[in-house]
Amino acid sequence: MPNDRTPYLQDLVKYSRKATIIIHKSFVNGQRTDEKFELTNNALDCLKSDDRLVLTTKDVEDEYLEITISLKEDKEEDNV
C-alpha cells in the first residue's frame, strides 16, 4: 500500500539543500534481513555514490542513526 505522505516528502526534500533523517539502526546495520533493509541500503548506497552530495552520520539516542544529506556547493547552480 503506497504511503500518502511520500509525494509531499519528496517535494520538500527536492527543493532543500540539506535534510536530516533519523532511522533505527536495524535498517542499516544488517540486523534486519527483510525487503525494508535491502531498500534502505540500496538508497543509501545510491546517495553515497552521488558526487554532488555529502552524507554524514552519527549515533543518536540508543538505537537510532542520524543521517544528514546535503548538496555540495555549486557556483553555477541557481539557488532560487
Side-chain angles (χ1 to χ4, degrees):
M1 181 161 108
N3 185 333
D4 292 339
R5 293 182 297 245
T6 301
Y8 299 108
L9 291 169
Q10 285 175 324
D11 286 342
L12 184 61
V13 171
K14 182 177 183 178
Y15 298 108
S16 299
R17 295 209 46 91
K18 188 177 200 178
T20 300
I21 299 164
I22 297 176
I23 190 168
H24 195 270
K25 288 181 183 178
S26 66
F27 284 93
V28 295
N29 67 5
Q31 281 180 298
R32 297 180 72 117
T33 57
D34 59 3
E35 182 183 11
K36 291 178 183 179
F37 169 76
E38 187 176 330
L39 290 170
T40 303
N41 279 277
N42 288 344
L44 281 174
D45 287 344
C46 180
L47 294 173
K48 285 178 185 176
S49 68
D50 188 326
D51 60 356
R52 293 192 59 225
L53 298 178
V54 176
L55 267 71
T56 55
T57 61
K58 73 176 184 178
D59 291 338
V60 293
E61 301 177 23
D62 287 333
E63 295 292 322
Y64 291 89
L65 184 67
E66 179 182 282
I67 303 168
T68 300
I69 306 161
S70 56
L71 291 172
K72 289 183 180 177
E73 289 295 322
D74 185 354
K75 305 269 186 213
E76 297 177 10
E77 181 178 300
D78 181 11
N79 289 326
V80 179

